[in-house]
């Protein structure tokens, strides 16, 4: 009698086992059918019926058919496993590609930010190195003084400053008055705008040299004093 179990069946899942059982049943049915005689082999009426044993070729054909069907089932199962592995492999590859793209995007964004920061730093550095260079003459001193005054909110114009400088010192930054009342009191007026030392000390603007004879320091301190007393150096038209 043929066994209903196929080698390796215990390792199959429920659906696969059911398929194998069906194949085995079909094989048994085929063998049984081969063993039952046809009508041509029936005994005469009234006599006892006897079954003829199946020939060796019939049994061999049934056994071969059953094995071929089992092999077909195994082939289908193997194909399903291969397909499942391929699907899993494709999914893994897709996930890996997505992660690689995300990592590349993040790296590109980080690089763009770093480059932008570097450009901003470079621009700031260039701006610092491009500090205006003023000529070392009356025009340059007045223009540099105006730039400093603008930062500190001190009013005054180029013409107003220039006019008072010409009247007070004729544009000589080392000018000193040794004959007026201030000189008699021991505090002579000095520099382009003839500032006395106490006034220079009180109205000196930080960031400029603490030197009354320095042309820019003298102009800025004098304009700071004039803004406090007269509103602006532009309003000064005589000794102040």
């Amino acid at each position: 009698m043929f066994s209903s179990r196929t080698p390796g069946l215990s390792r199959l899942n429920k659906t696969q086992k059911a398929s194998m059982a069906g194949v085995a049943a079909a094989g048994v049915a085929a063998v049984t059918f081969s063993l039952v005689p046809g009508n041509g082999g029936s005994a005469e009426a009234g006599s006892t019926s006897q079954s003829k044993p199946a020939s060796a070729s019939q049994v061999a054909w049934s056994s071969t058919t059953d094995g071929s069907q089992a092999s077909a089932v195994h082939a289908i199962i193997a194909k399903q496993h291969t397909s499942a592995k391929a699907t899993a492999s494709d999914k893994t590859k897709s996930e890996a590609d997505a992660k690689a793209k995300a990592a590349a995007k993040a790296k590109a964004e980080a690089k763009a930010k770093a480059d932008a920061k570097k450009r901003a730093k470079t621009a700031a550095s260039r701006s610092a190195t491009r500090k205006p260079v003023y000529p070392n003459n009356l025009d340059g001193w007045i223009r540099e003084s105006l730039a400093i005054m603008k930062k500190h909110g001190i009013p005054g114009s180029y013409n107003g400053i220039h006019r008072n400088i010409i009247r007070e010192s004729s544009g000589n930054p080392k000018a000193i008055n040794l004959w007026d009342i201030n000189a008699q009191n021991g505090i002579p007026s000095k520099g382009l705008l003839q500032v006395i030392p106490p006034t220079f000390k009180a109205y000196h603007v930080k960031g400029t040299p603490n030197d009354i004879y320095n042309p820019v320091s003298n102009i800025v301190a004098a304009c700071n004093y004039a803004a406090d007393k007269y509103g602006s150096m532009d309003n000064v038209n005589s000794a102040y």
Side-chain angles (χ1 to χ4, degrees):
M1 182 176 180
F2 288 90
S3 175
S4 61
R5 293 177 59 88
T6 302
L9 186 60
S10 59
R11 295 192 297 272
L12 304 180
N13 59 36
K14 186 176 181 180
T15 301
Q16 294 167 343
K17 286 180 179 181
S19 299
M20 289 296 295
V23 172
V28 172
V31 172
T32 302
F33 178 78
S34 68
L35 294 176
V36 177
N39 292 333
S42 299
E44 293 182 355
S47 64
T48 303
S49 299
Q50 294 181 355
S51 299
K52 294 182 180 180
S55 65
S57 61
Q58 289 175 320
V59 174
W61 179 88
S62 298
S63 177
T64 302
T65 302
D66 183 45
S68 298
Q69 291 174 335
S71 297
V73 172
H74 280 296
I76 293 172
I77 294 171
K79 185 176 181 180
Q80 291 175 343
H81 285 177
T82 301
S83 178
K85 288 180 180 179
T87 300
S89 177
D90 290 342
K91 182 179 180 181
T92 301
K93 186 175 183 300
S94 297
E95 291 176 350
D97 289 344
K99 289 181 179 180
K101 288 180 180 179
K105 183 179 179 182
K107 185 177 180 180
E109 291 177 349
K111 185 177 183 302
K113 289 182 180 179
D115 290 344
K117 187 175 181 181
K118 185 177 180 180
R119 286 193 297 270
K121 186 176 181 180
T122 301
S125 178
R126 287 178 179 175
S127 178
T129 57
R130 289 177 182 175
K131 183 178 179 180
V133 177
Y134 300 97
N136 188 29
N137 55 34
L138 182 58
D139 177 72
W141 301 331
I142 294 176
R143 292 186 183 282
E144 185 175 356
S145 297
L146 286 170
I148 296 171
M149 290 164 58
K150 183 177 181 180
K151 290 181 180 179
H152 292 273
I154 300 172
S157 68
Y158 184 98
N159 291 334
I161 295 171
H162 186 273
R163 171 169 45 81
N164 281 285
I165 287 176
I166 296 302
R167 186 189 69 251
E168 294 292 335
S169 66
S170 299
N172 178 12
K174 298 299 182 181
I176 181 172
N177 188 322
L178 298 175
W179 54 268
D180 66 2
I181 187 63
N182 291 321
Q184 294 175 19
N185 292 332
I187 48 173
S189 301
K190 301 176 180 180
L192 289 174
L193 284 168
Q194 292 294 282
V195 182
I196 60 175
T199 299
F200 178 82
K201 182 178 180 180
Y203 289 94
H204 171 254
V205 175
K206 291 183 179 180
T208 61
N210 191 20
D211 177 6
I212 196 170
Y213 287 110
N214 180 277
V216 174
S217 298
N218 190 278
I219 292 173
V220 175
C223 287
N224 194 24
Y225 166 76
D228 185 38
K229 299 298 182 180
Y230 306 101
S232 172
M233 181 61 76
D234 295 349
N235 299 328
V236 177
N237 296 298
S238 61
Y240 62 107

